[in-house]
């Protein structure tokens, strides 16, 4: 299974030049990369030299056309979610490495963005990477299990205060855990927002990505 290669839509830099940064967007359970690549147009003005890639998750969701999952969710039991994220991580790690090589950027020029289950995967992979990524932007998700904290990327969490699918507490507990581990993390709470990305969340996320992916003046 670790030899499979993910695929999905890509969007080149709006500037038309060579990428100076890379955003890898990870969709949620039952969605696909075509959904998350839709974030790119909202952020291109802030990130004109950044390449966007949004892979379809590892396995199709049975019975739903075009729906994918990073790992099956048979229950919300924390140990089940943690095992699923650990199992899926090597495949996602291989994709990230291949994309960085493809666009000739390093970890410090790469940011991971996730939504829901995609946030679980972004945190799982991003925190265990031997070299820190520029940042992790996680929407409507949270940390599952206790991944190896091998690096300390900057992290921005965004969560709706009326999320019925993944409770706000998931991001709050993630923030508490990471801060206790000495990792820089902020949580933005979108008011009157369910399991989705509201306009204020898009703005917070765009500003975060623009800051962490700002080219080194040297």
């Amino acid at each position: 299974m670790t030899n499979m290669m993910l695929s999905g839509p890509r969007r080149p830099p709006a500037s038309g030049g060579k990428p100076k940064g890379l955003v890898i967007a990870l969709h949620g359970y039952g969605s696909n990369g075509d959904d998350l690549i839709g974030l790119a147009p909202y952020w291109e003005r802030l990130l004109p030299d950044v390449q966007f890639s949004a892979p379809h998750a590892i396995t199709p969701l049975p019975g739903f056309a075009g729906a994918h999952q990073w790992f099956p969710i048979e229950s919300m039991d924390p140990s089940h979610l943690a095992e699923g994220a650990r199992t899926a991580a090597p495949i996602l790690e291989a994709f990230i490495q291949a994309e960085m090589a493809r666009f000739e950027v390093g970890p410090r020029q790469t940011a991971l963005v996730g939504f829901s289950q995609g946030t679980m995967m972004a945190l799982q992979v991003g925190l265990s990477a031997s070299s820190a990524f520029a940042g992790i932007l996680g929407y409507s998700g949270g940390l599952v299990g206790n991944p190896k904290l091998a690096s300390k990327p900057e992290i921005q969490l965004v969560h709706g205060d009326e999320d019925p699918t993944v409770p706000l507490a998931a991001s709050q507990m993630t923030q508490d855990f990471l801060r206790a581990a000495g990792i820089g993390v902020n949580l933005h709470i979108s008011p009157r927002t369910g399991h989705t990305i509201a306009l204020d969340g898009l703005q917070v996320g765009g500003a975060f990505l623009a800051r962490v992916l700002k080219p080194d003046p040297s």
Side-chain angles (χ1 to χ4, degrees):
M1 186 175 181
T2 55
N3 291 327
M4 77 172 290
M5 181 54 69
L6 303 178
S7 64
R10 298 182 176 94
R11 191 176 178 98
S15 67
K18 179 181 177 181
K20 297 179 182 178
L22 172 65
V23 167
I24 295 180
L26 310 175
H27 67 78
Y29 180 84
S31 186
N32 57 51
D34 295 320
D35 182 20
L36 263 279
I37 202 69
L39 295 175
Y42 292 98
W43 293 332
E44 282 179 334
R45 181 180 61 81
L46 293 170
L47 303 163
D49 298 313
V50 170
Q51 167 75 36
F52 290 84
S53 298
H56 305 307
I58 295 169
T59 56
L61 192 61
F64 296 91
H68 291 254
Q69 59 188 349
W70 294 102
F71 55 87
I73 298 183
E74 294 155 0
S75 79
M76 293 301 288
D77 178 83
S79 61
H80 167 73
L81 297 176
E83 178 59 28
R86 281 194 297 269
T87 300
I91 297 172
L92 177 55
E93 289 165 353
F95 174 83
I96 294 171
Q97 292 296 323
E99 290 295 278
M100 290 193 297
R102 180 188 185 108
F103 298 109
E104 299 180 336
V105 299
R108 293 302 307 171
Q109 299 164 290
T110 301
L112 308 182
V113 176
F115 178 78
S116 194
Q117 193 184 46
T119 293
M120 299 177 191
M121 292 306 305
L123 291 169
Q124 176 73 33
V125 169
L127 291 168
S128 61
S130 56
S131 297
F133 291 106
I136 300 174
L137 172 59
Y139 289 100
S140 305
L143 189 63
V144 291
N146 295 308
K148 177 184 177 184
L149 301 179
S151 61
K152 296 183 177 181
E154 291 195 55
I155 297 175
Q156 174 70 59
L157 303 175
V158 180
H159 214 121
D161 63 353
E162 297 178 359
D163 192 332
T165 305
V166 180
L168 171 59
S171 281
Q172 292 172 326
M173 289 188 290
T174 297
Q175 177 181 239
D176 291 344
F177 175 84
L178 295 176
R179 281 184 173 174
I183 295 174
V185 55
N186 289 301
L187 169 60
H188 172 80
I189 301 174
S190 293
R192 301 176 299 282
T193 300
H195 196 60
T196 187
I197 303 174
L199 178 59
D200 63 301
L202 277 174
Q203 294 170 337
V204 168
F208 171 77
L209 292 173
R211 179 171 62 81
V212 299
L213 290 173
K214 185 176 180 179
D216 188 340
S218 63

